[in-house]
Amino acid sequence: MRIIEAKDYADMSRKAANVISAQVILEPRSVLGLATGSTPIGAYKQLIDWYNKGDIDFSQTKSVNLDEYIGLDGSNDQSYRYFMNTNFFDGINIKKENTFVPNGKAPDMEAECKRYDELIKSLGGIDLQLLGIGHDGHIGFNEPGAAFEKTTHIVELEEATIKANARFFGSEEKVPKKAITMGIKSIMQAKKLLLIANGPDKKDIVEKALHGPVTPMVPASILQFHPNLTVVYCFN
Ligand code: GLP
């Protein structure tokens, strides 16, 4: 595990963007596992900036996202598809058809879970997975529970997660109660992992996840077992 302490959010974002850009420069055909939330926005902005300067080319890159709210389609401005388009994909030259986000409006969600696992397999797995972390230790939407959920699955969001995400929706009532998320197995099978965390409110959970016991009650704690994990954080 490599742990990099950043000076501030801008520094964390640049360092994370450096890791992602190195991946794409060295292996232009990389499959990037991408994440949503407020934490990666700065890294995406930095990558767009470097793309505009001609430093990175995403034309051969593919991406798979971790999760999506159930009930929201890609045109809903709170969906993770919309987030990815507006915060990243629209600013770079990745081909939209090479970007994948679970479909939160699929008529058969169980079938959608299977399809997403097959899709990741058919892409040859994930080369570099970017991860944020929730206050309860969730990664993607893998919430604390009795066991690590291995494959793509449907989750009932924790009260704490709904509260934390209410800021984007305007009120708690508007936050969808369910989501579809990539499982722990697909995340752990990524060749490299990059976990980013920002703000004093993330300090305790990051310490628990990285140095505490490995337990499904803190889903991110499983990352301790990954052979190539880089963590960039800033707790200021
Ligand atoms: C959401 C996402 C996670 C993300 C987490 C933290 O619940 N599903 O992938 O890591 O929020 O978000 P933030 O970066 O806004 O703290």
Side-chain angles (χ1 to χ4, degrees):
M1 189 192 311
R2 285 180 216 98
I3 299 183
I4 302 168
E5 199 176 340
K7 289 194 290 262
D8 50 27
Y9 179 70
D11 187 38
M12 184 210 76
S13 300
R14 258 193 327 272
K15 285 182 161 72
N18 263 305
V19 174
I20 298 167
S21 77
Q23 176 71 37
V24 173
I25 290 167
L26 295 173
E27 284 178 52
R29 291 174 179 278
S30 288
V31 176
L32 298 178
L34 297 176
T36 52
S38 51
T39 314
I41 290 177
Y44 293 148
K45 273 207 180 96
Q46 180 64 77
L47 289 166
I48 291 170
D49 189 39
W50 287 333
Y51 163 72
N52 284 328
K53 289 183 173 139
D55 291 343
I56 328 174
D57 173 19
F58 293 92
S59 62
Q60 298 182 76
T61 307
K62 294 183 178 161
S63 72
V64 280
N65 259 77
L66 285 166
D67 47 11
E68 180 60 283
Y69 288 111
I70 289 181
L72 304 190
D73 69 30
S75 62
N76 185 305
D77 64 4
Q78 289 308 326
S79 72
Y80 283 166
R81 160 55 76 183
Y82 189 93
F83 175 102
M84 289 310 299
N85 287 349
T86 51
N87 285 293
F88 194 31
F89 300 148
D90 290 344
I92 58 171
N93 66 335
I94 196 165
K95 296 191 181 97
K96 274 284 166 61
E97 64 269 27
N98 287 337
T99 67
F100 304 97
V101 180
N103 179 2
K105 280 283 248 186
D108 178 345
M109 286 312 294
E110 288 301 332
E112 175 61 10
C113 291
K114 285 208 182 77
R115 184 193 73 84
Y116 209 64
D117 283 332
E118 287 305 315
L119 169 81
I120 296 168
K121 220 189 267 169
S122 74
L123 295 173
I126 299 164
D127 293 299
L128 173 66
Q129 176 67 56
L130 175 65
L131 295 166
I133 183 169
H135 293 103
D136 57 3
H138 72 245
I139 43 177
F141 269 134
N142 288 275
E143 293 279 30
F148 291 109
E149 295 260 10
K150 293 189 272 294
T151 54
T152 300
H153 58 283
I154 292 155
V155 279
E156 302 268 348
L157 299 180
E158 291 285 328
E159 209 46 50
T161 304
I162 292 171
K163 277 206 172 78
N165 289 351
R167 67 202 144 114
F168 301 113
F169 288 83
S171 76
E172 265 174 60
E173 295 68 53
K174 289 191 186 142
V175 183
K177 306 290 172 279
K178 285 184 182 186
I180 172 171
T181 183
M182 202 189 275
I184 293 294
K185 187 173 161 193
S186 307
I187 295 172
M188 288 298 283
Q189 282 179 340
K191 291 191 191 114
K192 296 173 203 156
L193 297 181
L194 173 59
L195 175 71
I196 54 175
N198 174 61
D201 54 314
K202 292 283 172 79
K203 190 168 190 267
D204 286 353
I205 192 63
V206 170
E207 273 165 12
K208 254 195 206 164
L210 301 183
H211 308 297
V214 173
T215 161
M217 292 311 292
V218 181
S221 64
I222 192 85
L223 305 179
Q224 292 179 38
F225 289 153
H226 196 280
N228 194 330
L229 167 66
T230 302
V231 185
V232 186
Y233 63 61
C234 163
F235 298 138
N236 297 332

